[in-house]
Amino acid sequence: MIVDFLYDLGLWNWIAFGLALLILEVFAPGFFFIWFALAALVTGAFAFLLSSTAGFGWQLQTILFLVLAIIFVLAGRRFFGASGRQDEPLLNRRGEQLVGQRATLTEPIVNGRGRIRINDTMWRVRGPDLPVGTEVRVVSFDPVNMEVEVAV
């Protein structure tokens, strides 16, 4: 029964398989099934064009599908894959975004510890002892404190 199915494998089966993979890509997006769908559709096109050729049976169609799938997946990764470059490298790293900004002390720095307000957030800071109202510049950031110095 399976052998009969494989012998009858042809144009419409490849097209149906390709369309099923395209539908699967729509419902489970990941930009992955599309390459297999394209390989199945191209194999179906070859099956249509070479249907009169006696040597283009299910074995050759399957090999063509596998080769095309590998080529399309590699080409897709090459041209549409992640580049590793981010437009906003400090996105979601708010403390590091603040390095270099100026702010005014809202609490004095006593024994190396104080607070500043930047936008709507109070930040703990380290630095030289300074009175309230002194304008400081953020020099560095660690998960607990910001290092500040007197703004010039």
Side-chain angles (χ1 to χ4, degrees):
M1 180 172 158
I2 293 176
V3 174
D4 292 333
F5 173 76
L6 292 175
Y7 275 116
D8 292 335
L9 199 61
L11 163 69
W12 297 113
N13 293 328
W14 286 113
I15 291 176
F17 182 52
L19 291 176
L21 287 171
L22 284 175
I23 291 170
L24 186 62
E25 178 71 30
V26 169
F27 288 114
F31 214 53
F32 185 72
F33 290 114
I34 194 164
W35 308 121
F36 293 106
L38 288 175
L41 293 173
V42 170
T43 302
F46 273 104
F48 175 73
L49 294 173
L50 301 175
S51 61
S52 61
T53 306
F56 196 66
W58 68 269
Q59 298 93 340
L60 205 54
Q61 291 175 19
T62 304
I63 291 171
L64 177 64
F65 169 74
L66 294 174
V67 168
L68 287 174
I70 290 170
I71 290 171
F72 287 156
V73 166
L74 293 176
R77 282 182 150 304
R78 168 90 171 135
F79 293 111
F80 298 107
S83 65
R85 183 181 55 87
Q86 293 181 340
D87 292 336
E88 296 287 336
L90 297 178
L91 185 66
N92 296 329
R93 291 164 51 188
R94 188 170 177 208
E96 293 176 35
Q97 291 175 359
L98 299 176
V99 172
Q101 284 197 6
R102 293 172 177 246
T104 304
L105 286 174
T106 55
E107 291 181 16
I109 300 178
V110 178
N111 295 328
R113 306 269 184 224
R115 289 185 180 269
I116 60 172
R117 176 183 292 276
I118 298 178
N119 298 327
D120 62 347
T121 306
M122 293 289 286
W123 296 89
R124 285 186 280 184
V125 295
R126 282 189 320 228
D129 289 351
L130 297 169
V132 173
T134 305
E135 188 171 349
V136 294
R137 185 173 63 86
V138 178
V139 177
S140 66
F141 174 79
D142 64 42
V144 178
N145 294 306
M146 288 187 180
E147 185 77 30
V148 296
E149 64 183 18
V150 176
V152 182

